[in-house]
Amino acid sequence: MRSALFQKQLPLGIFIITLTTVLLCLLLTVFLHVFSPDTVLVIEDVKSGQILWQEDIQAGEWFYHEYLHSVEKSPVIEKFKVNRAGEILTMESWTKSFGAGLPYEQQGTVEMVDGFYVLKDLHRPIHGGAFLMQPSNKYPHTFHFRDHRIMLSEEPYASTRIKIEVRHLTWLEAILEH
């Protein structure tokens, strides 16, 4: 008699455990989605690994850098956007000429704005998820994000090989940041 009762309760127990597990997984998924760790835009010294600057960034936000091209001596503005996956996309390239090392391929749309050839709507992912550069102190080179304006042509950025990327902080990093 006891064995028959146990056999009837076993499927009910398995059902309750399974349902509880599914609900916990669902709640954990919702929690992780709603309270996901920060995504940050980072400028890092490649050699030392030191973070020189970082700021929270959300999908859809833009940033850009502006510099004088070393050969053409003309201004260049490159604009980027972060997509939902946290990838950096090249969105626009502003140049006054199409000389050595400057973009020349017909992509997206092209228009003239204030004497600049503007290649727009590029949506081109950055190869490797980050871009590397070594700003010079010979010409002004600035980085812009929201109300931040960083002089890359000055210390600690000038003559330093830097990497600009978007990072997704781990839960532990996000907790330690705040």
Side-chain angles (χ1 to χ4, degrees):
M1 181 84 152
R2 192 171 198 187
S3 164
L5 181 62
F6 179 73
Q7 287 177 350
K8 288 181 181 178
Q9 289 180 344
L10 185 62
L12 180 61
I14 291 173
F15 173 75
I16 290 172
I17 290 171
T18 303
L19 182 61
T20 304
T21 304
V22 168
L23 287 174
L24 285 174
C25 288
L26 184 61
L27 285 172
L28 182 61
T29 302
V30 169
F31 177 81
L32 291 176
H33 180 71
V34 172
F35 300 104
S36 60
D38 294 338
T39 302
V40 292
L41 181 59
V42 174
I43 301 176
E44 176 185 322
D45 179 328
V46 173
K47 186 176 181 181
S48 71
Q50 178 185 5
I51 303 294
L52 302 174
W53 177 88
Q54 81 175 26
E55 185 72 27
D56 289 346
I57 190 166
Q58 304 297 318
E61 287 193 284
W62 289 55
F63 62 93
Y64 68 97
H65 71 119
E66 187 172 357
Y67 61 97
L68 282 180
H69 189 271
S70 62
V71 175
E72 293 290 319
K73 305 291 189 259
S74 64
V76 176
I77 304 168
E78 293 177 320
K79 296 185 178 187
F80 305 91
K81 178 180 171 181
V82 175
N83 68 12
R84 288 183 184 199
E87 298 173 301
I88 299 173
L89 305 176
T90 302
M91 296 300 292
E92 296 180 5
S93 181
W94 295 53
T95 60
K96 295 251 180 180
S97 69
F98 292 102
L102 293 171
Y104 62 89
E105 295 179 11
Q106 172 76 30
Q107 294 180 351
T109 58
V110 179
E111 62 182 65
M112 287 292 293
V113 177
D114 296 330
F116 282 91
Y117 296 97
V118 181
L119 303 171
K120 297 175 92 171
D121 305 316
L122 299 175
H123 298 276
R124 188 176 47 227
I126 297 294
H127 180 70
F131 56 97
L132 302 172
M133 68 176 72
Q134 187 164 339
S136 168
N137 60 0
K138 293 182 182 179
Y139 303 105
H141 188 161
T142 56
F143 176 86
H144 305 262
F145 177 61
R146 295 183 190 146
D147 60 345
H148 300 277
R149 181 176 184 264
I150 298 169
M151 292 299 298
L152 296 178
S153 50
E154 296 176 358
E155 294 298 327
Y157 309 97
S159 303
T160 301
R161 189 165 165 86
I162 61 172
K163 174 170 53 173
I164 299 174
E165 68 180 339
V166 171
R167 291 189 183 161
H168 304 281
L169 299 180
T170 65
W171 282 97
L172 180 59
E173 290 170 328
I175 289 167
L176 293 175
E177 285 278 320
H178 301 321

